[in-house]
Amino acid sequence: MCGIVGYVGHRDVVPILLEGLTRLEYRGYDSAGVAVVDRGGSVGIRRAAGKLVNLKTELADDPLAGAYGIGHTRWATHGKPTTENAHPHQDAAGRIALVHNGIIENFLELRSGLEERGVEFVSETDTEVIVHLVSSYYEGDLAAAVRRTLDDLEGIYAIVVASADEPDKLVTARQGPPIVVGLGENENFIASDVPPVMGYTRDVVFLDDGQLAVVTPDEVTIQDGAGNAVEAVAQRVTWDPVTAEKGGFKHFMLKEIHEQPTAIRDSLIGRVNRHTGQIDLGELNLDEDLANSMSELLLLGCGTSWHAALVGKYWIEKLAGVPVKVDHASEFRYRDPLVADGAVACAITQSGETADTLAATREAKDRGAKLWTICNVVGSMATRISDGVLLTQAGPEIGVASTKAFTTQLTCLYLIALKLAELRGRLSREAIELRLHNLARLPGQIEGIVAQADKIDEVARRVQHFKQFLFIGRGLLYPIALEGALKLKEISYIHAHGYPAGEMKHGPIALIDDGVPIVALAPQSDLYEKTASNMQEAKARDGFILAVATEGDENLADFSDELLSIPDCLPEFAPLLASVPLQLLSYYVAVRLGCDVDQPRNLAKSVTVE
Ligand code: G6P
């Protein structure tokens, strides 16, 4: 949802900004731009509609050099993705430049006020009002002008501002979307996320909501919302920068699918001991009292994370006997939800910065719930507002379509289900050990599925021409049908619908003919026979059947046109395994159709606006 970068220091600024934007392009790719202040004190701006490559071409044709500067890659909200609407935006005198991530809700009102005072607008964006306001308040102190401007703004923002009149200084502020300040030696960095700074420093400060920072090459000073000085608390990022690179894979998504065995192992390490049956979820702050007093668990998320929540509901209710409600965060926040006394709300969010999920969890907290977060980003807002955190150890996920973040979310939800079951006395030590033993086998089993990539690509070749797909599953596999359909939609733009297999006869079966393939999730489970019947009903209507079945299943092979297999497992673990062939199927269909897999149209990795 827009990526922003800033640099002050001794290096040539443009390459640093471009490299940073490249690492943030997953956040938006409708347009991009940079503003640089040169040693002579003048501001140079280059912007281009479309992907970052267009800006790079623009800069190659018309280079810029300078000492400090800011950059932006946009996911359009207000105004089309044109060059005029691309950031950075400037004040009328061309002395102040600004980049923004977020939405200013009262921009129309602010804009008319400025227009009445004679300000001329050159873009359709909400952002442009901010830079004109800063300029109108500027009296020789950029930070003070920004602080006054923030008082006028309603909405959410992360901004970085540069002024030609205050050399080697950037001012940044956040209310909602993230800002990370990277601390270097005689240089400092600003970015929307950690990857742009990782090549230079591992020491970062995550700004809090309402904070403003003044960043020079030698100093970072932070103020709270009232303008009081706040200590900058640095955190060390331990990710390996190489994991944020493609590492020989054609796309990040393919790399991230392959990384799932490692990501799941990393999410288990230090938390489970399969020999003793111990489960340690320390950071979640879940003890026997809480496990037994908890009246209900509310799982809140968006998109793929919501699908993880749906799987979590099956596990937690079955294993731990805790009632679970799952909500789309965007619905929960606006529907006057009932939150029982003793409820725990758990945000499931890869990024920890999805606006709807943050708002929903705050709503739950206001209604008395304790807050947990299952999150992949250390230091993100979701982790900071929660009473308990379980980090998915997926490492950076760059592909917009979530893969390893999803399966590690599932892993963490399963651990919560088991821990709750243990603390509530619902499972014996032996039953837990058996499950932990099988959980430890999953990474190896996923390696086996990934090794079938060529076979899955061949299936993709056979089905790529279909214009719509139905994905069906029952029980734990119903959410995986939803997720399989979402993956295909997101990256190949083929219409796909996920449905509970038992509901087919209540409507969707009307769609079936030889032009509608059915992807049926039918590994061995107590619902196997029922799903197989639903598949036969579809076959009887000429549907093309692509089954995901347990290895060696001869029965389904008889009436399936294609069959992808997953290893034999405890039925509880089928969601983790069955997700992987569906990810690969979507990936290969999208590649064959020539789609932009890592940066699908109209999407962004983290959605920091409503
Ligand atoms: C966006 C992404 C999805 C993701 C959803 C929730 O829509 O495109 O892939 O599932 O946000 O993101 P979160 O970071 O909260 O898990």
Side-chain angles (χ1 to χ4, degrees):
M1 200 89 334
C2 299
I4 58 189
V5 290
Y7 175 79
V8 268
H10 44 85
R11 307 177 203 236
D12 186 13
V13 64
V14 171
I16 293 184
L17 297 179
L18 285 180
E19 191 189 327
L21 291 178
T22 305
R23 287 170 206 276
L24 291 178
E25 211 184 0
Y26 70 87
R27 300 179 70 86
Y29 29 83
D30 290 333
S31 63
V34 293
V36 164
V37 186
D38 66 21
R39 291 287 171 214
S42 57
V43 184
I45 294 213
R46 300 286 181 271
R47 302 180 299 175
K51 293 201 165 188
L52 191 56
V53 63
N54 298 348
L55 176 67
K56 289 180 179 168
T57 310
E58 174 82 19
L59 278 160
D61 293 347
D62 192 3
L64 271 182
Y68 62 107
I70 56 182
H72 188 268
T73 177
R74 178 168 185 244
W75 187 83
T77 58
H78 292 64
K80 292 204 175 75
T82 57
T83 305
E84 294 69 39
N85 290 333
H87 302 212
H89 290 282
Q90 278 181 289
D91 68 333
R95 303 295 291 164
I96 299 173
L98 174 141
V99 289
H100 166 222
N101 172 20
I103 290 181
I104 304 306
E105 285 167 358
N106 59 337
F107 91 99
L108 284 175
E109 183 193 323
L110 295 171
R111 182 171 169 140
S112 11
L114 285 159
E115 280 171 339
E116 276 164 25
R117 280 147 53 198
V119 175
E120 282 185 26
F121 280 76
V122 293
S123 80
E124 303 160 313
T125 64
D126 53 338
T127 302
E128 199 185 340
V129 298
I130 315 177
V131 73
H132 291 306
L133 284 172
V134 174
S135 175
S136 72
Y137 291 133
Y138 188 69
E139 289 174 346
D141 181 346
L142 185 63
V146 172
R147 171 60 68 208
R148 276 198 72 183
T149 301
L150 300 184
D151 293 340
D152 292 350
L153 304 181
E154 285 168 22
I156 59 164
Y157 50 79
I159 55 171
V160 188
V161 195
S163 164
D165 297 315
E166 293 188 38
D168 292 320
K169 181 190 286 180
L170 297 175
V171 177
T172 181
R174 79 168 276 188
Q175 182 64 47
I179 286 285
V180 179
V181 181
L183 309 174
E185 285 281 317
N186 306 320
E187 60 181 350
N188 285 308
F189 305 80
I190 299 172
S192 296
D193 196 355
V194 174
V197 306
M198 279 197 312
Y200 304 96
T201 174
R202 298 304 187 85
D203 296 318
V204 299
V205 175
F206 295 95
L207 277 202
D208 263 330
D209 268 351
Q211 290 185 339
L212 175 151
V214 178
V215 181
T216 66
D218 308 310
E219 207 181 8
V220 176
T221 53
I222 301 184
Q223 311 169 1
D224 65 12
N228 303 314
V230 175
E231 197 192 338
V233 182
Q235 297 192 30
R236 181 150 272 253
V237 177
T238 51
W239 288 345
D240 174 1
V242 175
T243 55
E245 307 291 342
K246 279 192 201 145
F249 287 91
K250 191 168 173 201
H251 296 101
F252 280 113
M253 183 180 176
L254 185 61
K255 172 176 176 258
E256 289 158 4
I257 291 172
H258 278 78
E259 283 172 346
Q260 290 180 107
T262 308
I264 292 172
R265 274 190 200 105
D266 289 350
S267 295
L268 295 175
I269 284 172
R271 292 182 173 147
V272 301
N273 182 328
R274 66 192 155 107
H275 304 296
T276 62
Q278 298 294 326
I279 304 166
D280 179 1
L281 307 181
E283 331 89 286
L284 197 59
N285 296 322
L286 168 61
D287 58 16
E288 203 169 328
D289 271 358
L290 180 58
N292 286 291
S293 63
M294 182 186 292
S295 58
E296 62 180 10
L297 184 58
L298 310 173
L299 299 179
L300 306 169
C302 299
T304 292
S305 296
W306 179 74
H307 295 154
L310 290 176
V311 178
K313 175 181 169 74
Y314 282 88
W315 281 332
I316 293 165
E317 290 194 336
K318 179 166 181 228
L319 298 175
V322 175
V324 178
K325 291 184 193 155
V326 176
D327 252 292
H328 290 286
S330 56
E331 289 295 317
F332 183 87
R333 64 184 292 194
Y334 290 121
R335 74 167 166 75
D336 209 2
L338 295 178
V339 175
D341 282 349
V344 174
C346 179
I348 305 179
T349 169
Q350 183 279 132
S351 59
E353 59 165 287
T354 301
D356 283 324
T357 305
L358 292 174
T361 42
R362 285 183 170 121
E363 182 70 37
K365 190 166 196 164
D366 288 349
R367 288 169 188 254
K370 197 178 245 314
L371 277 198
W372 285 348
T373 290
I374 296 175
C375 186
N376 196 38
V377 180
V378 187
S380 62
M381 186 49 86
T383 64
R384 281 186 287 156
I385 61 175
S386 295
D387 306 303
V389 175
L390 198 53
L391 288 172
T392 48
Q393 303 289 358
E397 190 182 67
I398 308 294
V400 165
S402 184
T403 53
K404 63 176 180 170
F406 176 64
T407 44
T408 53
Q409 285 170 344
L410 292 182
T411 307
C412 287
L413 280 161
Y414 190 80
L415 291 179
I416 291 176
L418 270 192
K419 187 70 191 174
L420 280 170
E422 177 206 307
L423 293 170
R424 289 164 62 89
R426 300 260 312 190
L427 284 180
S428 66
R429 180 67 56 209
E430 294 70 40
I432 292 177
E433 277 173 28
L434 169 78
R435 286 174 165 82
L436 292 184
H437 179 75
N438 280 277
L439 196 55
R441 289 172 58 211
L442 284 174
Q445 291 179 317
I446 292 177
E447 273 159 16
I449 299 172
V450 171
Q452 297 175 40
D454 288 348
K455 150 93 178 149
I456 299 172
D457 187 18
E458 183 51 28
V459 174
R461 188 188 61 74
R462 258 195 95 183
V463 300
Q464 61 175 320
H465 63 281
F466 287 113
K467 300 289 176 245
Q468 54 172 321
F469 281 69
L470 272 169
F471 285 70
I472 60 171
R474 279 174 178 259
L476 279 163
L477 291 160
Y478 160 52
I480 303 306
L482 294 177
E483 175 59 11
L486 180 67
K487 282 285 89 76
L488 191 67
K489 273 184 277 215
E490 281 179 313
I491 61 170
S492 70
Y493 319 137
I494 294 175
H495 178 72
H497 199 61
Y499 228 76
E503 283 287 301
M504 287 288 290
K505 54 188 173 294
H506 300 300
I509 201 165
L511 289 171
I512 295 176
D513 61 20
D514 61 4
V516 182
I518 291 92
V519 181
L521 300 173
Q524 290 301 327
S525 76
D526 51 354
L527 294 170
Y528 170 80
E529 299 291 350
K530 293 193 185 302
T531 309
S533 303
N534 301 133
M535 292 163 68
Q536 273 165 327
E537 287 156 15
K539 190 70 208 160
R541 288 156 180 87
D542 291 333
F544 178 102
I545 309 283
L546 197 176
V548 176
T550 303
E551 241 158 37
D553 187 329
E554 301 289 329
N555 174 32
L556 293 189
D558 285 348
F559 57 90
S560 299
D561 298 274
E562 285 290 354
L563 203 137
L564 297 175
S565 56
I566 61 170
D568 193 17
C569 65
L570 284 185
E572 275 164 31
F573 294 126
L576 279 143
L577 296 180
S579 303
V580 181
L582 300 190
Q583 294 165 350
L584 285 164
L585 180 72
S586 300
Y587 172 78
Y588 285 116
V589 168
V591 169
R592 286 180 169 278
L593 295 178
C595 298
D596 189 342
V597 173
D598 284 335
Q599 295 178 345
R601 70 185 181 206
N602 305 339
L603 297 179
K605 182 82 187 148
S606 47
V607 181
T608 54
V609 295
E610 277 190 54

